[in-house]
């Protein structure tokens, strides 16, 4: 039998090496890895808050992250809509709604003709609650997360847990094979989960709930942390751009929480106060302690999201004393969490990153008073006018829904009437283009047939999922939205919504900063390279070059 020449060469080479001293790889020169990764997402955090409140921050919260970590100062979302569900999913999957399918918080389901919530799952039940808020899971996310990949790569030895007041902000980051995700039940003030993860709350979660911390936090008025005259970064406390809570006559401090609670959502009221951050921080510390995170040979992962800044932004806006106070208090909560991590695990063994699920614009009515172009669209009127136009043109209103700035057309009627779908989309688009506040309109046909490389059209394409998105995507002018004239909202492709902070800190992270543009989808790819594991299966982001060599 003749051996192929390459095999003979191989055997010969192996023999040569057999005589050389053998270098045995030991645990000490295996690639190092963190004991724990803590992913922190601040809901509705603009990157400029770091600088805006810098002088008021303590030295051991945000400042510690920036001064000891690496600050990617030009991190951007690369799709629309910039909402919470897609935001958290994109951070952890390393891709955009086009691929992971979480196209919004709620969307019109073309198959059932009903509205679907992003974390809705009728196949599961609540654990710790009988409310519908318990029927939640990550089942609507079509791809794996970095946390899923960590579990798979460690043969399920790594523990992964997600927590937040908002269910979607706990569930999407934790992924499909998480050990647990816990979120807040505003009807009881407790942390709950669903049968997707477990049959019963662990005893330590039950004990935590028994402490009734939400009730305690809400038993005192919300006063400013510092004397109110020191909030010079914000508008006067009493201004017309803020929502007035039921039972108050002005939107001013102190907000008497015990008195206001009953009329303003009961225990849900903690969501729109900084004490919701403190409650999340308290729970995060209990998770780490009771689940022994960071104490085994495998890398564990805790995904924490702080939801209150989003509620406070919607209620009072980015330039309110309320939002400033929220961030000053969040700074203290972060400091406490970092200090706990020092003691419990040690900074060199914990990898922390902090980012946001989207940012937010100034209150449009405030911008209008400053003579900055801004405005309010009326989506109800847009929908009504389009339906009337289509009724006159085609003899049917043809629209099933207008949600997330997407029109869903009635394909069945279009087929029955022997109309051309593309032609109807174009006709409707031309009509919509002329509506007040509309900047551009894209049809699904255009998105399916053209590849956009930059600008808002690129972002619309990255947010467009052919199976789930509508027939026509509408973009509004900068600082235009369908919202009340108090507080603000988000969702646009403009930098006020897309530009967020990103800070890496702790294990193997050198101090520094960069203004180079990176994308939110790069976070999961960077983590995969740091942890030497697979990218999430739909990942379209790239590792950030100055963080991983
Ligand atoms: Zn959000
Ligand atoms: Zn929001």
């Amino acid at each position: 039998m003749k051996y192929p020449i390459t095999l003979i060469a191989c055997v010969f080479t192996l023999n040569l090496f057999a005589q050389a001293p053998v270098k045995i790889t030991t645990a000490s020169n295996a690639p190092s890895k963190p004991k724990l990764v803590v992913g922190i997402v601040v809901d509705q955090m603009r990157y400029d808050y770091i600088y805006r409140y810098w002088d008021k921050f303590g030295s051991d919260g945000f400042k510690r992250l920036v001064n000891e970590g690496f600050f990617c100062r030009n991190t951007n979302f690369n799709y629309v809509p910039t909402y919470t569900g897609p935001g958290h999913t994109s951070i952890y999957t390393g891709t955009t709604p086009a691929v992971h399918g979480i196209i919004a918080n709620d969307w019109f389901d073309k198959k059932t003709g009903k509205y679907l919530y992003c974390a809705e799952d009728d196949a599961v039940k609540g654990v710790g609650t009988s409310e519908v808020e318990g029927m939640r899971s990550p089942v609507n996310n079509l791809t794996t997360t970095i946390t899923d990949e960590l579990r798979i790569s460690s043969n399920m030895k790594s523990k992964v847990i997600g927590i937040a007041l908002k269910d979607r902000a706990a569930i999407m980051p934790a992924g499909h094979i998480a050990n647990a995700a816990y979120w807040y039940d505003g009807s009881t003030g407790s942390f709950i989960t669903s049968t997707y993860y477990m049959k019963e709350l662990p005893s330590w979660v039950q004990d935590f709930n028994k402490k009734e911390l939400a009730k305690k936090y809400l038993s005192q008025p919300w006063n400013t942390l510092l004397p109110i005259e020191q909030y010079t970064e914000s508008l006067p406390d009493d201004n017309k751009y803020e929502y007035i809570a039921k039972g108050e006559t002005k939107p001013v401090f102190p907000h008497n929480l015990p008195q206001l609670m009953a009329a303003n959502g009961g225990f849900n009221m903690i969501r729109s106060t900084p004490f919701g951050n403190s409650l999340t921080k308290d729970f995060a510390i209990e998770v780490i302690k009771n689940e022994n995170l960071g104490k085994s040979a495998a890398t564990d992962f805790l995904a924490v999201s702080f939801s209150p800044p989003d509620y406070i932004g919607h209620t009072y806006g980015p330039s309110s004393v309320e939002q400033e106070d929220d961030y000053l208090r969040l700074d203290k909560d972060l400091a406490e969490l970092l200090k706990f991590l020092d003691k419990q695990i040690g900074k060199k063994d914990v990898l922390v990153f902090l980012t946001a699920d989207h940012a937010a614009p100034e209150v449009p009515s405030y911008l209008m008073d400053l003579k900055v172009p801004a405005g309010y669209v009326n989506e109800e009127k847009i929908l009504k006018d389009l339906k009337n136009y289509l009724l006159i043109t085609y003899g049917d209103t043809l629209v099933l829904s207008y949600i997330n700035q997407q029109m869903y057309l009635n394909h069945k009627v279009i087929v029955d009437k022997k109309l051309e779908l593309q032609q109807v989309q174009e006709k409707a688009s031309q009509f919509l283009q002329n509506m007040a506040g509309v900047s551009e309109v894209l049809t699904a046909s255009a998105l399916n047939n053209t590849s956009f490389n930059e600008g808002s059209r690129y972002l619309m394409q990255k947010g467009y999922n052919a199976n789930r998105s509508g027939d026509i995507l509408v973009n509004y002018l900068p600082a235009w939205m369908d919202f009340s004239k108090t507080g603000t909202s988000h969702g646009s492709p403009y930098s006020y919504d897309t530009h967020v902070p990103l800070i890496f800190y702790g294990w193997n992270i050198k101090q520094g900063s960069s203004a180079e543009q990176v994308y939110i989808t790069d976070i999961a790819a960077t983590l995969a390279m740091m942890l030497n594991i697979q990218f999430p299966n739909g990942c379209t982001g790239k590792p950030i070059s100055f963080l991983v060599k």
Side-chain angles (χ1 to χ4, degrees):
M1 191 178 175
K2 259 180 112 180
Y3 288 102
I5 198 93
T6 46
L7 186 56
I8 295 168
C10 246
V11 172
F12 182 66
T13 318
L14 277 176
N15 274 342
L16 262 186
F17 273 104
Q19 286 158 23
V22 177
K23 194 181 172 203
I24 298 164
T25 304
T26 62
S28 62
N29 54 22
S32 92
K33 53 185 181 182
K35 290 182 190 298
L36 176 65
V37 182
V38 181
I40 302 172
V41 179
V42 183
D43 206 312
Q44 201 190 114
M45 182 168 181
R46 295 159 42 138
Y47 101 103
D48 66 319
Y49 288 161
I50 294 275
Y51 300 106
R52 192 167 181 169
Y53 306 136
W54 184 264
D55 291 341
K56 300 269 167 33
F57 285 145
S59 57
D60 45 4
F62 284 109
K63 271 188 181 168
R64 182 174 178 195
L65 291 176
V66 172
N67 289 336
E68 297 177 26
F70 197 99
F71 188 7
C72 301
R73 293 162 53 221
N74 193 6
T75 304
N76 291 264
F77 277 81
N78 48 354
Y79 63 84
V80 282
T82 37
Y83 295 153
T84 299
H88 284 81
T89 313
S90 300
I91 293 165
Y92 283 84
T93 60
T95 191
T96 66
V99 181
H100 62 60
I102 302 299
I103 58 166
N105 292 332
D106 301 86
W107 62 85
F108 179 77
D109 184 350
K110 293 191 268 197
K111 291 189 195 92
T112 62
K114 290 181 188 158
Y115 290 95
L116 181 72
Y117 174 61
C118 63
E120 184 177 327
D121 183 354
D122 292 347
V124 302
K125 285 198 170 65
V127 172
T129 182
S130 51
E131 303 285 320
V132 64
E133 283 76 18
M135 297 165 73
R136 301 285 183 254
S137 88
V139 75
N140 297 315
N141 170 15
L142 304 171
T143 62
T144 63
T145 56
I146 188 66
T147 40
D148 284 332
E149 296 297 341
L150 181 64
R151 290 271 290 153
I152 294 169
S153 76
S154 68
N155 208 12
M156 307 301 156
K157 289 188 188 76
S158 293
K159 265 192 186 178
V160 169
I161 297 176
I163 66 163
L165 297 188
K166 290 186 185 177
D167 52 34
R168 58 189 178 279
I171 289 167
M172 296 307 171
H176 300 274
I177 37 184
N179 298 82
Y182 301 104
W183 56 96
Y184 182 72
D185 178 3
S187 66
T188 58
S190 296
F191 278 92
I192 58 168
T193 185
S194 79
T195 52
Y196 182 85
Y197 305 97
M198 60 191 80
K199 289 195 178 74
E200 193 178 8
L201 285 174
S203 59
W204 70 264
V205 177
Q206 294 182 31
D207 291 344
F208 182 87
N209 287 335
K210 276 183 206 143
K211 289 190 213 165
E212 297 189 323
L213 291 180
K215 196 173 167 185
K216 280 186 193 138
Y217 279 123
L218 288 166
S219 69
Q220 286 173 8
W222 174 14
N223 272 300
T224 50
L225 184 70
L226 306 174
I228 198 158
E229 60 277 9
Q230 289 183 24
Y231 287 68
T232 49
E233 294 74 15
S234 302
L235 290 173
D237 189 24
D238 187 11
N239 71 67
K240 62 175 177 172
Y241 312 114
E242 300 182 7
Y243 171 81
I244 300 171
K246 291 189 188 99
E248 285 187 332
T249 52
K250 287 177 173 188
V252 297
F253 284 95
H255 296 288
N256 197 333
L257 304 177
Q259 271 182 24
L260 296 170
M261 247 181 91
N264 293 277
F267 288 119
N268 273 314
M269 201 180 182
I270 204 167
R271 296 175 189 270
S272 46
T273 77
F275 309 114
N277 295 324
S278 304
L279 181 66
T280 309
K281 172 266 303 171
D282 294 338
F283 192 60
I285 288 173
E286 286 303 301
V287 174
I288 296 167
K289 273 193 212 159
N290 288 285
E291 295 290 344
N292 291 311
L293 298 187
K295 295 289 185 192
S296 78
T299 300
D300 296 327
F301 203 124
L302 176 67
V304 189
S305 181
F306 290 102
S307 309
D310 183 62
Y311 293 102
I312 293 169
H314 285 299
T315 312
Y316 300 105
S319 289
S320 58
V321 175
E322 280 82 357
Q323 191 63 297
E324 180 168 357
D325 195 63
D326 176 38
Y327 274 93
L328 299 189
R329 289 176 182 275
L330 175 60
D331 183 55
K332 290 174 93 70
D333 287 325
L334 278 178
E336 193 183 326
L337 183 60
L338 293 175
K339 210 169 170 184
F340 169 76
L341 291 171
D342 285 344
K343 196 174 75 177
Q344 181 79 358
I345 298 152
K347 184 190 161 188
K348 70 172 184 27
D349 289 319
V350 183
L351 173 63
V352 176
F353 72 91
L354 180 144
T355 189
D357 60 339
H358 52 76
E362 273 301 337
V363 177
S365 59
Y366 170 52
L367 292 175
M368 289 159 90
D369 285 348
L370 294 175
K371 301 190 183 113
V372 173
Y376 293 93
V377 290
N378 182 341
E379 292 188 340
E380 216 174 292
K381 186 176 181 306
I382 289 177
L383 177 61
K384 203 172 136 220
D385 288 358
L386 178 67
K387 279 182 167 180
N388 278 339
Y389 170 73
L390 295 175
L391 182 64
I392 292 163
T393 313
Y394 296 112
D396 192 287
T397 58
L398 293 182
V399 185
L400 293 171
S401 177
Y402 185 38
I403 185 169
N404 309 312
Q405 296 175 223
Q406 301 185 8
M407 288 285 175
Y408 287 79
L409 298 178
N410 191 331
H411 289 206
K412 190 180 173 298
V413 174
I414 288 170
V415 170
D416 289 351
K417 283 185 161 287
K418 299 193 170 57
L419 298 170
E420 276 283 323
L421 176 64
Q422 198 171 332
Q423 205 185 48
V424 178
Q425 286 177 349
E426 272 162 23
K427 205 93 175 133
S429 295
Q430 282 158 14
F431 180 85
L432 290 166
Q433 186 69 59
N434 294 317
M435 307 289 289
V438 170
S439 66
E440 62 193 323
V441 187
L442 274 180
T443 64
S445 305
L447 288 161
N448 287 330
N449 298 322
T450 318
S451 211
F452 298 103
N453 298 320
E454 57 178 13
S456 49
R457 288 175 176 229
Y458 173 80
L459 271 65
M460 288 160 95
Q461 190 155 49
K462 292 296 166 201
Y464 171 79
N465 180 288
N467 293 322
R468 292 182 178 176
S469 298
D471 291 277
I472 301 158
L473 277 65
V474 181
N475 187 19
Y476 301 142
L477 290 162
W480 280 68
M481 61 176 72
D482 183 355
F483 200 67
S484 70
K485 293 200 169 136
T486 55
T488 196
S489 197
H490 49 86
S492 83
Y494 301 113
S495 85
Y496 55 70
D497 279 339
T498 62
H499 192 177
V500 291
L502 172 62
I503 308 169
F504 280 86
Y505 160 98
W507 175 85
N508 266 7
I509 302 296
K510 290 194 180 71
Q511 199 278 332
S513 76
S514 170
E516 201 176 301
Q517 189 161 38
V518 296
Y519 298 98
I520 208 73
T521 47
D522 297 337
I523 296 172
T526 304
L527 289 169
M529 293 304 287
M530 287 176 170
L531 300 172
N532 298 316
I533 63 172
Q534 289 285 83
F535 285 23
N537 62 15
C539 187
T540 47
K542 294 191 188 98
I544 299 171
S545 61
F546 38 87
L547 284 170
V548 283
K549 291 274 168 356

